[in-house]
Amino acid sequence: MLDGRTTLDLVIGFLGLLMIFAAIWSVLSKRLLSSVLLSGAVSLLASLVFLAVGAPDVAMTEAAIGSALTTMVFLYSLSRMKAEQDAHEDGGAS
Amino acid sequence: MMKKLLLLAAIALLAFALWPFVRDVGLAEPGELATAYLERGPAELGTANVVTSIVVSYRGFDTLGEVTVLFTATAGVGGLLARRKSGHGKKKAAERGATDASEILKTASRLLSPLLVLFGVYIFLHGHLTPGGGFQGGVVIATAVLIGLLADPEAGLAHGVMHVVEGLSGFAYVALGAVGLWFTGVQAGFLDPRFLPLGELGRLASAGAIPIIYSLVGLKVGAELTGILDAMKEDAE
């Protein structure tokens, strides 16, 4: 029978492993879009860990800022970079 | 080869340094300072959420620092992006060849945005009772605006209103902090919320001025982050 402590350890360990995999994958990924989304996933998993250890305030901040806003800011930068690249391929500055 | 070995050694060293935190995670006894906060927070300030009593009052100066950092970052982003934008005129979405948002996103945003704003307001109004507070509530409001911007790229924000809200709430926040400093009593500090009655623990209108202070922080953070998102969106166009 699992007591509370062991269950907590298992949950945190599982989430931690997922985080490590997502982080490594996001570094190794060849597509920038999947890198951005995976780093958002790392934040989301981190917020679950915070929730598991009883820090809901930190978990909310991490989920809202780390996985939502930061990802969006990165996505906007990505689209901006893409627009710049397209402009160059069209032949010079627009 | 050497590089990989060094990399492995660095990772092992980091793992060794961080291992105690992993081993003792979760169920450690709170230390002396934490115990003092846990016992005195609800009694002195009337907050059911101890984190809020620390963030808003006991460590009010740190929060003022955080608000300042956020403000500086927003001002920096806004300044940088505004300067490069003034060069070329704004193009319409159709001229950029942007595709329209899908019907699902549009309908969902119409349904979700008001609810998200409401949830954000709930989070910062109940900062002294439930987890979360001004910062989290502000970010949730910013995500509501973000969904709206995603669904309708042509939508413009009322910049004037945003700036007025941000400026006024920032000013009122510092003013309330000063009020707490001067009018509460001998032991008062910056952002002491006890110049209003503490009320009954667990009620919405309790904990002195904490709901007001956190609402101001929430409005300020929401307006600032919305401004950043809007600046990034206009720059990406």
Side-chain angles (χ1 to χ4, degrees), chain A residues 4 7 10 14 22 26 28 32 38 41 50-51 56 74 76 80 82 85:
Chain A
T7 323
L10 282 177
F14 176 66
S26 93
L28 294 183
L32 277 177
L38 279 165
F50 294 145
L51 199 62
F74 273 129
Y76 274 135
R80 158 106 206 174
K82 225 177 140 225
Q85 257 172 7

Side-chain angles (χ1 to χ4, degrees), chain B residues 163-211:
Chain B
H163 290 164
V164 169
V165 166
E166 188 187 334
L168 277 185
S169 51
F171 175 76
Y173 167 72
V174 177
L176 275 182
V179 167
L181 183 56
W182 295 114
F183 293 101
T184 311
V186 196
Q187 292 203 309
F190 183 73
L191 275 176
D192 196 320
R194 282 176 293 180
F195 57 88
L196 289 180
L198 282 185
E200 192 185 324
L201 181 75
R203 299 293 288 270
L204 180 58
S206 68
I210 283 183

Side-chain angles (χ1 to χ4, degrees), chain A residues 14-28 34-50 59 62-63 65-68 70-71:
Chain A
F14 176 66
L15 290 173
L17 275 181
L18 276 183
M19 270 172 78
I20 292 174
F21 278 127
I24 292 176
W25 193 4
S26 93
V27 172
L28 294 183
S34 18
S35 289
V36 168
L37 292 181
L38 279 165
S39 61
V42 174
S43 281
L44 207 59
L45 289 166
S47 81
L48 286 179
V49 174
F50 294 145
E62 181 69 46
I65 296 185
S67 61
T70 317
T71 311

Side-chain angles (χ1 to χ4, degrees), chain B residues 41-120:
Chain B
E44 281 184 355
L45 300 175
T47 53
N49 180 10
V50 182
V51 179
T52 295
S53 72
I54 297 171
V55 170
V56 175
S57 191
Y58 290 128
R59 292 279 178 265
F61 254 132
D62 297 15
T63 307
L64 181 66
E66 273 176 58
V67 170
T68 315
V69 166
L70 196 62
F71 172 74
T72 317
T74 322
V77 169
L80 274 176
L81 294 185
R83 204 183 314 155
R84 46 187 318 173
K85 196 171 61 185
S86 59
H88 52 88
K90 200 182 157 192
K91 283 188 266 180
K92 281 251 186 294
E95 291 172 35
R96 297 193 315 271
T99 45
D100 220 11
S102 73
E103 197 58 43
I104 298 174
L105 181 59
K106 276 189 204 162
T107 314
S109 91
R110 237 172 277 142
L111 179 70
L112 271 180
S113 279
L115 287 178
L116 274 174
V117 172
L118 192 68
F119 185 51

Side-chain angles (χ1 to χ4, degrees), chain A residues 81-94:
Chain A
M81 277 164 58
K82 225 177 140 225
E84 208 113 299
Q85 257 172 7
D86 290 350
H88 278 296
E89 278 164 17
D90 287 348
S94 55

